[in-house]
């Protein structure tokens, strides 16, 4: 059994690696083409685009891993079936359950690989890519609103006009409310720098204080501002939730919940990050029925095409359920796990149908 496991593992790993490399080359080309419109603007040159595309490749590895495993496993098993090796294995006493467990043990390697990439490689690479692009164009980080980004911190609402890649803030407005939810003061600071030991240091501050019968204006050169809003929390605005690490997502999710803000998108992203590596096991289960149907479903190329369509379908369904979960306020586990459960059910039905025939 160990010899058989090593043999099938070699075939599956080799095929998956080739598929992954091919997909990465294709997506890198598309990403570079997408950057062509920005080349020549604000000092952004071809070498900047090439570095940017290279830095976002780890994120592509994470996204494409289940699809690559599906197509690689399907190709490997179909090739074995075409050479009648699967038939010989079954005639020698290899049951469907044993083959599923064998593929599962191989799939655990992909699970660990996918989790490591998604947690420790892709997030810092994605953040570095965004910083590289912003630095190359001389831009700063801001939200989609023209007024900048908005964050709630307890009884305060903070508006930051720009957030630089060096994690300094410019054009900071702090709207503070009292217990009666009445606006008590508005502070405007030209700049803000973060000191890990003491919090933010704001400079050149103008503060408007609203009192019962009058308004008072203060001017302060510098002001220390203790807040839970660290650069790490603010930096999540530079990276899509789906590209963050589990620890970053959890920290920002806690911040949103502590401030009574909607966190549906981040909760769904957190559950997806936890469940996504195990999708490779679902993809391997989906590929198994094709190994038993080599005489009824055409050649290897047809099955690889079917695998590509299934992989694309899984990717689209994953994104669809995430968006529907945010729109309809579905429980995060439902929105995150539903696509994998649907494909797992499809795999079980196909395997049962193949076995019956």
């Amino acid at each position: 059994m160990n010899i058989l496991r090593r043999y099938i593992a070699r075939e599956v790993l080799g095929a998956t690696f080739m598929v992954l490399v091919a997909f990465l080359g294709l997506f890198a080309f598309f990403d570079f083409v997408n950057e062509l419109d920005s080349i020549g603007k604000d000092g952004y040159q071809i070498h900047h685009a090439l570095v940017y595309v290279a830095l976002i490749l780890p994120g592509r590895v994470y996204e494409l891993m289940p699809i690559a495993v599906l197509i690689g496993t399907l190709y490997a098993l179909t090739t074995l079936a075409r050479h009648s090796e699967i038939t010989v294995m079954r005639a020698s006493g290899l049951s469907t359950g044993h083959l599923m467990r064998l593929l599962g043990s191989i799939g655990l390697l992909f699970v660990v690989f996918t989790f490591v990439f998604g947690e420790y490689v892709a997030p810092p690479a994605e953040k570095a890519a965004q910083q590289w692009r912003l630095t190359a164009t001389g831009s700063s980080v801001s939200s989609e609103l023209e007024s900048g980004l908005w964050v709630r911190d307890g009884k305060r609402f903070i508006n930051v006009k720009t957030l630089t890649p060096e994690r300094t803030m410019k054009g900071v407005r702090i709207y503070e409310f009292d217990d009666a939810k009445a606006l008590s003061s508005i502070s405007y600071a030209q700049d803000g720098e973060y000191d890990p030991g003491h919090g933010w240091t704001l400079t050149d501050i103008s503060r408007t204080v609203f009192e019962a019968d009058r308004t008072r204006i203060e001017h302060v050169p510098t002001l220390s501002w203790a807040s839970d809003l660290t650069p790490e929390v603010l930096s999540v605005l530079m990276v899509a939730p789906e590209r963050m690490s589990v620890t970053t997502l959890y920290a920002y999710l806690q911040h949103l919940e502590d401030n009574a803000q909607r966190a549906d998108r981040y909760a769904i992203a957190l559950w997806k990050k936890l469940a996504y590596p195990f999708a490779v096991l679902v993809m391997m289960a989906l590929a198994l029925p094709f190994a038993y149907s080599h005489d009824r479903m055409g050649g290897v190329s047809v099955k690889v095409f079917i695998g590509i369509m299934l992989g694309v379908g899984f990717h689209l369904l994953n994104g669809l359920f995430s968006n529907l979960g945010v729109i309809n306020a579905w429980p995060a586990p439902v929105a995150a796990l539903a696509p994998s459960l649907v494909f797992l059910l499809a795999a079980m039905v196909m395997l049962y149908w193949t076995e019956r025939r």
Side-chain angles (χ1 to χ4, degrees), residues 227-239:
S227 172
D228 293 332
L229 293 175
T230 64
E232 287 71 24
V233 171
L234 291 174
S235 68
V236 303
L237 298 166
M238 298 175 59
V239 182

Side-chain angles (χ1 to χ4, degrees), residues 85-94:
E85 293 177 80
I86 293 291
T87 303
V88 173
M89 293 176 192
R90 298 188 73 186
S92 301
L94 182 66

Side-chain angles (χ1 to χ4, degrees), residues 8-322:
I8 296 179
R10 185 183 64 191
E11 296 296 318
V12 172
L13 290 172
T16 301
F17 177 77
M18 289 190 299
V19 172
L20 183 61
V21 170
F23 270 123
L24 288 177
L26 182 64
F27 274 79
F29 174 75
F30 288 150
D31 288 333
F32 180 74
V33 170
N34 191 50
E35 293 297 305
L36 290 179
D37 289 339
S38 301
I39 292 177
K41 300 177 182 178
D42 300 321
Y44 194 66
Q45 302 300 325
I46 290 180
H47 70 278
H48 294 132
L50 290 173
V51 173
Y52 175 78
V53 170
L55 287 172
I56 64 176
L57 276 183
R60 295 297 186 192
V61 172
Y62 177 75
E63 292 176 355
L64 294 170
M65 201 61 207
I67 302 175
V69 169
L70 169 62
I71 299 174
T73 304
L74 193 151
Y75 177 83
L77 294 181
T78 302
T79 302
L80 293 176
R82 186 165 61 91
H83 295 155
S84 300
E85 293 177 80
I86 293 291
T87 303
V88 173
M89 293 176 192
R90 298 188 73 186
S92 301
L94 182 66
S95 66
T96 300
H98 285 154
L99 184 55
M100 289 186 67
R101 287 193 293 272
L102 192 151
L103 289 175
S105 64
I106 300 170
L108 289 177
L109 298 176
F110 291 121
V111 171
V112 174
F113 179 83
T114 305
F115 178 79
V116 170
F117 249 82
E119 182 69 12
Y120 301 107
V121 181
E126 180 72 19
K127 189 177 295 184
Q130 300 302 328
Q131 291 179 351
W132 170 264
R133 199 176 195 281
L134 292 169
T135 302
T137 57
S139 302
S140 57
V141 183
S142 66
S143 72
E144 295 179 357
L145 300 175
E146 292 184 2
S147 58
L149 61 91
W150 289 84
V151 187
R152 181 178 178 180
D153 180 29
K155 297 179 181 179
R156 303 182 184 94
F157 287 85
I158 296 91
N159 170 227
V160 182
K161 183 64 177 178
T162 56
L163 173 66
T164 67
E166 292 77 21
R167 304 296 193 272
T168 60
M169 301 187 297
K170 295 183 181 296
V172 185
R173 282 187 172 87
I174 303 175
Y175 298 83
E176 190 163 358
F177 293 78
D178 58 22
D179 295 334
K181 298 182 179 180
L183 183 63
S184 60
S185 68
I186 300 176
S187 301
Y188 177 80
Q190 293 289 343
D191 300 284
E193 294 186 3
Y194 187 75
D195 183 352
H198 302 87
W200 292 94
T201 299
L202 306 179
T203 57
D204 195 5
I205 304 104
S206 298
R207 187 165 184 258
T208 302
V209 181
F210 300 98
E211 299 179 346
D213 55 351
R214 64 193 182 97
T215 300
R216 177 166 45 87
I217 298 178
E218 303 173 346
H219 296 280
V220 183
T222 61
L223 177 67
S224 295
W225 172 38
S227 172
D228 293 332
L229 293 175
T230 64
E232 287 71 24
V233 171
L234 291 174
S235 68
V236 303
L237 298 166
M238 298 175 59
V239 182
E242 294 75 18
R243 300 289 181 88
M244 298 178 192
S245 66
V246 171
T247 52
T248 302
L249 272 171
Y250 181 77
Y252 191 61
L253 185 62
Q254 290 296 114
H255 171 77
L256 293 177
E257 291 178 348
D258 291 342
N259 288 279
Q261 293 179 271
R262 286 196 61 181
D264 295 348
R265 184 184 180 189
Y266 293 90
I268 292 173
L270 177 61
W271 275 91
K272 283 182 64 176
K273 291 288 290 187
L274 294 173
Y276 197 72
F278 294 95
V280 299
L281 297 178
V282 177
M283 297 296 104
M284 297 186 85
L286 194 62
L288 182 58
F290 290 89
Y292 293 165
S293 55
H294 62 283
D295 57 338
R296 296 188 290 271
M297 296 186 61
V300 176
S301 59
V302 174
K303 294 174 185 177
V304 169
F305 176 76
I306 294 173
I308 293 174
M309 293 298 100
L310 288 172
V312 171
F314 175 77
H315 184 74
L316 293 177
L317 195 65
N318 217 21
L320 175 63
F321 269 79
S322 296

